[in-house]
Amino acid sequence: MRNHLHSAALCKILMFSNSCVFQGWIPKIVKKKACTTFLEDPLSNGDLCQCGGERALHGSVATGDYFGSAVVSKWDSAVHTSEYPTDAFGELEFAGARRRHSHFLRLSCDTPASLVYTLMTVHWGLPAPNLVVSVVGGVGKEKVKSWVRDVLRQGLVRAAQSTGAWIMTGGMREGVGRCVGEAVRDHVAAASSISQSKVVALGVAPWGMVANRKQLINEQGSFPARYYVQNISEDSYYLDNNYQAFLLVDDGSIGRRGGETNFITHLEDHISHQRSGNIEIPVLCMLISGEASVLKVLDMSLKTATPWLVLDGSGPAADMITELLSDLSPTSSPGDGEGRDSSGAEQRERVKEIVKKHFPTEKALDKLVDQAVSIYQNRSLITVFHGDQDGPDDFDTVILKALVRACKQVSSDASEYTEELKLAVAWNRVDIAKSELFNGDIQWQYEDLEDLMTDALVNNKPQFVRLFTENGLNILQYLTYKRLESLYQSLPDSTLVYTLLQKWLKERDNLVSRLLEEIFGGVCQPFYYTVLGLELGVSTRKAAKYVNKLQQGDGAYGEKPCAYPWASLFIWAVLQNRREMALYFWEMTGESVLSALSACKILRELSKLENETENKFSLKDLAQKFEEQAHDVFSACYQSSENRSFTLLIRTSPVWGGVTSLQMAVAADARLFFSHDGVQTLLSKIWWGDMSSRTEVWKLVISFLLPPLIYTNLITFRSGILISSFILLGWSKTDTPKHPFILHRWRQFWFAPVTSFLGNVLMYFLFLFLFAYVLLIEFKPPPPVGPATVEFVLYFWIFTLVCEEIRQVSNQLMLYIQDMWNKFDLTAISLFCLGLICRLFPWSYEFGRSVLCVDYMVFTLRLIHIFAINKQLGPKIIIVGKMVKDVFFFLFFLGVWLMAYGVANQALLYSYDPRPYWVFRRVFYRPYLHIYGQIPLDEIDGVNWPCKPCTNNVTLIHEGAEPCPQSEANWLVLILLSVYLLVTNVLLLNLLIAMFSYTFSKVQEHSDVHWKFQRYNLIVEYHSRPCLAPPFIIISHLHLFIKRNIRKVPSVKIKHFMLELRGRMANRLNTWEAVQKENLLSTQSKKVRDSDTERLKRTSAKSYHQIMASSDLMSLYLPFFQMEFCSSSLLWIMEGLAQSNLIKQTRPPPLHRGAVCSLSLMTAFKLPSFHWQPLSK
């Protein structure tokens, strides 16, 4: 009740005091202690009180209490002291130390722990801890061992940093407290500004032991108090400047320890019942060395169920506890009471021997034995850290195991382990969680793992995500749209995705959906429109308004479970470039091939926007990884079932916006995926339609020119099987032809993409011939004389080409614009329209003719596109395209030199020439011709200048006369010419050749992959085209218009590339694909396990366990070895004495067989040597 009152009062004061500089309210709440009764210390000749203070420091009341002094023989802080307002508080400035000020407070040892904790967290602003480690022992002048320093530096402070912990020590420049301060100092120096505040070093020291404590006294508070510390290397009782806060506990004594013990115990117990966020703060005490007085502290703390960690080998108390736990094993109680008493007596005697061994000078031995027995009864709360076996890197593991063991003693309910599991998540120690918390003893429920799952997702801990989903967390129940929004809101502001989302934040748009739409570029339908109630065709502005209105409402959509949770988490992880987590979500999501290709698309688009080189490389590397995964999974599917794998490629996905794997592979530029034989087989089957893929080209040409031949055996057809039925083979029955044989065979030939391609190629050559004929022979003057009839035929042909382009644009505008050859078509048609308009008028007739001549070149270059189907010429098109880019870089360097030389040459040869046309020719055109060897020496070299008329008269030059060249600097002109030719003809041209060679070798090395990728675009283009070629294509356009818009007949050919599966067929396909993926992952995992690296790791682990087992075995046999040695030694002495006068050796002295045996064991297991010592006399 008193604690609650203090906390309530303090909180009310803090509400006002936080904004005030004057903090005089602290002495009204916090007290100090002063001795009020002088009890003479018998060892001080009457000058000192038993409290440690001099007689002069005690008031008249204290020294005049003779009756009390006579009755009481021992000083007690609770009886012989009184509380007064504290006079030492505020901020501490260490003189000469360049660091922030530390908080300090002198307080009574009876101060409520709740009040102190509230003051530290609310007023001082210390962050609430996720863990408190209280270091006990290691005080005084005792030297700290080097391995203990390493544990504190590399283990304790690092573990505290990872979880945000408080480290409580004595806070003075002595022993372990000094080592902790130095470790925290090194951490602050090396850590970032964000993580510096994660470790709080709290010093809890006895006020009477602090050196120069008078510098801290100020009744009004010190802000700051300047504290001087002598610069000495030895341990001292000065406060350490590496601590953030000091609690100076005052029990009224001076120069004596122990008064702070009860206060520390109460503070630890209070903190262990507080919560930091949603975590109940665990408290762990760590024993390092220690004197006999530490046993009392240990016993009191264990009775409050506080776990302890003991460092074996660090000093007397720690070594005693370790020996106590190892030597005394729990024995079963005998049936009779006498047996129990006998067993207890033997145990107590053994404890007494252990205590006396480590504390031989202690007088109150029975009291220490009672404390040791009580400690042993609570041994389940003690964990021993063996410094010789466990390294500093394993310290966080030991801490977590100690906390889990302590929790198991309290309850077996899963909710009681939540804090320990949260600590394991904070430290990212999934190995400890598996071995201690998920070993089958605890039944975890969804409610226990829900918040931890969010923490693991946000902090990128995929191993815990996997662990939680395997042990009771239902992802369908977990991931709602509201939680998915919170995950996107938790994106780090340093990520690229966060920056991209900020781009649309001002517009208050559907951010994630807009971002994905920008990344995918219209390949698939928008994401998350259905859950928001938006139609797919709605405009962006209307969608933004609707989303804003929806967000202002109750947000009922947020409570709905996510339709595709694994896919949503997969996208979330891929956008952040979280490799391991993205790979795990990919394993869990369905439609593995399409999901991997989608991730490849996202990552490659993000890499184009990333500016950091390292992040860009990481994005590209992960994209390549997913492309390889898609390739491997499809390869496994293709080996299992060829027909099902074909269906996998063209199946539309409701998860990914109705896109197919082939479409996503094209968008992601997944050339490796397209190079797979299964993809190429499908494309070949679609390309040839129902005709045999082994049909020779000449047979197609003859059949195209003579259609009746298709009814003969000249071309082999697949009897009665359409390509759509072939793909679905294995999922549905094959269709029988519904048309008569004549019509069916006609459709089989003319509807095949290869026939459409062949017809377009032949007719395109005819079109070019017609165009050339018009330009060269039948290009008549403007009306009314022209145009000729042949030219009108050309106009109609162009019109049919325009109709075909309109049909392609109407299907999908964005994809149409992205294609380079479509840009060629638009340019050619635009130039033709311009030339046609200009040639109709006399004043622009010649210009129009020139435009049409240029347009003919564009139409002719369009022929390059048809070469893409050829395996030899296809890669060459790519090489030419890349070489054109190289030429532009070359022209930039050439232009610099050309302009520099041209301007200088013109200025040196002609001092004045106002004719722009001639200046331009001599500055740019003539230097350019120099590269090809056309050097007019008669105009450059003064020796060869011909005697032609020229003048230097400015007036005549303005009238058109030729200016005379200047000969004064002719020598400089020749030097510049030589340098220019050297650079351009030798340096730049060879650079261009080297660039071309590199481009050629780079593309040629993967020519097969490049050809297979670009072949797809050509097949899709001619598959979607009508069967007739221009100009007869107008008939097909009219037929399609009537069929689609009037008769409403759906397209059958679209199923060759887009097939919609639902219900049972879709489930069977997804299940089959998932099985193939699991088999692939199992095979990959087996390869990793069988690798040399993994074998070496397993061998090393087995060797380590064998060494540890052999060490335990030798420790058991050690007493027998020593006993045998003693027996042999005694026998040897007796035989010697039995001989002549003194000792006469009849045989060699006995060998220490234990050493020989141990040596053989050490040789077998490669153990470190042990120094065997005989038993003492």
Side-chain angles (χ1 to χ4, degrees), residues 39 65-73:
L39 296 180
D65 189 6
Y66 300 107
F67 178 77
S69 302
V71 174
V72 182
S73 60

Side-chain angles (χ1 to χ4, degrees), residues 755-805:
T755 307
S756 177
F757 172 76
L758 182 62
N760 278 271
V761 171
L762 294 177
M763 298 306 294
Y764 198 80
F765 275 107
L766 185 59
F767 163 74
L768 292 177
F769 175 78
L770 178 63
F771 200 167
Y773 177 79
V774 170
L775 289 176
L776 297 176
I777 299 175
E778 290 292 333
F779 199 81
K780 300 296 184 180
V785 179
T789 306
V790 179
E791 191 171 352
F792 279 111
V793 175
L794 178 64
Y795 296 163
F796 177 75
W797 204 313
I798 295 294
F799 172 73
T800 59
L801 292 177
V802 173
C803 293
E804 174 60 19
E805 297 301 320

Side-chain angles (χ1 to χ4, degrees), residues 602-866:
I602 295 174
L603 292 166
R604 284 178 175 160
E605 291 298 326
L606 292 177
S607 66
K608 298 176 183 178
L609 303 174
E610 181 60 64
N611 297 323
E612 298 289 338
T613 304
E614 185 176 352
N615 294 339
K616 183 186 291 289
F617 177 79
S618 177
L619 289 168
K620 290 182 178 179
D621 182 64
L622 185 55
Q624 185 64 32
K625 173 65 176 179
F626 276 114
E627 183 179 353
E628 293 173 356
Q629 291 291 84
H631 179 274
D632 295 341
V633 173
F634 181 74
S635 179
C637 295
Y638 184 69
Q639 294 175 5
S640 175
S641 175
E642 180 177 337
N643 297 319
R644 292 183 178 183
S645 64
F646 292 159
T647 310
L648 199 66
L649 292 175
I650 63 173
R651 178 266 319 266
T652 57
S653 169
V655 181
W656 295 98
V659 73
T660 66
S661 297
L662 285 179
Q663 292 174 334
M664 189 62 72
V666 174
D669 195 23
R671 299 176 184 267
L672 176 63
F673 180 79
F674 264 100
S675 65
H676 193 276
D677 293 339
V679 179
Q680 294 303 310
T681 303
L682 173 64
L683 295 179
S684 297
K685 293 182 181 299
I686 296 176
W687 177 249
W688 287 97
D690 288 336
M691 291 185 290
S692 174
S693 59
R694 299 181 180 274
T695 304
E696 289 83 356
V697 177
W698 65 268
K699 293 182 180 180
L700 289 176
V701 175
I702 294 177
S703 300
F704 182 83
L705 298 176
L706 299 174
L709 293 178
I710 64 176
Y711 299 101
T712 64
N713 294 328
L714 182 64
I715 299 178
T716 304
F717 291 88
R718 300 187 186 96
S719 58
I721 301 179
L722 296 174
I723 183 65
S724 57
S725 302
F726 180 82
I727 293 174
L728 290 174
L729 189 61
W731 300 103
S732 61
K733 300 296 183 180
T734 58
D735 299 330
T736 57
K738 301 178 181 179
H739 306 286
F741 172 76
I742 297 177
L743 182 59
H744 175 63
R745 179 57 57 88
W746 182 269
R747 293 172 60 89
Q748 281 183 313
F749 178 77
W750 290 104
F751 281 21
V754 64
T755 307
S756 177
F757 172 76
L758 182 62
N760 278 271
V761 171
L762 294 177
M763 298 306 294
Y764 198 80
F765 275 107
L766 185 59
F767 163 74
L768 292 177
F769 175 78
L770 178 63
F771 200 167
Y773 177 79
V774 170
L775 289 176
L776 297 176
I777 299 175
E778 290 292 333
F779 199 81
K780 300 296 184 180
V785 179
T789 306
V790 179
E791 191 171 352
F792 279 111
V793 175
L794 178 64
Y795 296 163
F796 177 75
W797 204 313
I798 295 294
F799 172 73
T800 59
L801 292 177
V802 173
C803 293
E804 174 60 19
E805 297 301 320
I806 294 174
R807 186 195 66 82
Q808 295 181 21
V809 171
S810 63
N811 290 337
Q812 202 159 10
L813 177 61
M814 293 302 299
L815 295 179
Y816 177 85
I817 296 175
Q818 292 175 2
D819 188 85
M820 183 187 67
W821 298 111
N822 289 331
K823 297 176 183 178
F824 254 81
D825 294 335
L826 291 177
T827 304
I829 293 173
S830 301
L831 288 176
F832 188 87
C833 294
L834 178 62
L836 173 62
I837 294 173
C838 293
R839 68 98 57 223
L840 296 177
F841 302 96
W843 56 271
S844 59
Y845 171 78
E846 292 298 333
F847 177 75
R849 188 173 186 277
S850 301
V851 171
L852 291 176
C853 292
V854 175
D855 187 39
Y856 179 80
M857 294 181 59
V858 178
F859 272 114
T860 306
L861 291 176
R862 184 65 170 81
L863 271 177
I864 299 177
H865 180 48
I866 68 174

Side-chain angles (χ1 to χ4, degrees), residues 135-138 142 145 147-148 176 285-295 298 308-327 354-355 358-359 375 382-387:
V135 182
V136 180
E142 182 182 359
K145 298 181 180 179
W147 68 269
V148 176
V176 173
C285 296
M286 186 169 66
L287 177 59
I288 301 177
S289 185
E291 301 297 335
S293 59
V294 173
L295 299 182
L298 179 59
W308 277 74
L309 179 62
V310 179
L311 267 63
D312 180 25
S314 59
D319 297 346
M320 193 219 77
I321 297 298
T322 304
E323 186 175 352
L324 183 70
L325 297 180
S326 61
D327 287 6
I354 295 174
V355 173
H358 292 276
F359 304 108
I375 291 171
I382 302 175
T383 302
V384 178
F385 178 83
H386 301 280

Side-chain angles (χ1 to χ4, degrees), residues 807-944:
R807 186 195 66 82
Q808 295 181 21
V809 171
S810 63
N811 290 337
Q812 202 159 10
L813 177 61
M814 293 302 299
L815 295 179
Y816 177 85
I817 296 175
Q818 292 175 2
D819 188 85
M820 183 187 67
W821 298 111
N822 289 331
K823 297 176 183 178
F824 254 81
D825 294 335
L826 291 177
T827 304
I829 293 173
S830 301
L831 288 176
F832 188 87
C833 294
L834 178 62
L836 173 62
I837 294 173
C838 293
R839 68 98 57 223
L840 296 177
F841 302 96
W843 56 271
S844 59
Y845 171 78
E846 292 298 333
F847 177 75
R849 188 173 186 277
S850 301
V851 171
L852 291 176
C853 292
V854 175
D855 187 39
Y856 179 80
M857 294 181 59
V858 178
F859 272 114
T860 306
L861 291 176
R862 184 65 170 81
L863 271 177
I864 299 177
H865 180 48
I866 68 174
F867 298 147
I869 198 63
N870 187 272
K871 188 174 183 179
Q872 305 301 326
L873 296 178
K876 303 302 184 293
I877 299 176
I878 300 176
I879 294 174
V880 171
K882 292 184 177 295
M883 284 184 175
V884 170
K885 298 180 181 179
D886 295 338
V887 168
F888 280 109
F889 287 105
F890 167 77
L891 290 178
F892 171 77
F893 291 107
L894 179 62
V896 173
W897 276 98
L898 190 144
M899 184 174 182
Y901 168 74
V903 173
N905 181 69
Q906 173 68 12
L908 290 172
L909 286 176
Y910 300 95
S911 60
Y912 182 73
D913 190 354
R915 299 171 298 177
Y917 174 74
W918 282 98
V919 171
F920 181 81
R921 284 175 60 92
R922 289 169 178 164
V923 170
F924 294 102
Y925 182 62
R926 189 166 65 182
Y928 177 72
L929 294 180
H930 289 353
I931 301 176
Y932 304 101
Q934 296 186 16
I935 304 174
L937 293 177
D938 56 343
E939 299 181 12
I940 296 177
D941 193 355
V943 179
N944 300 322

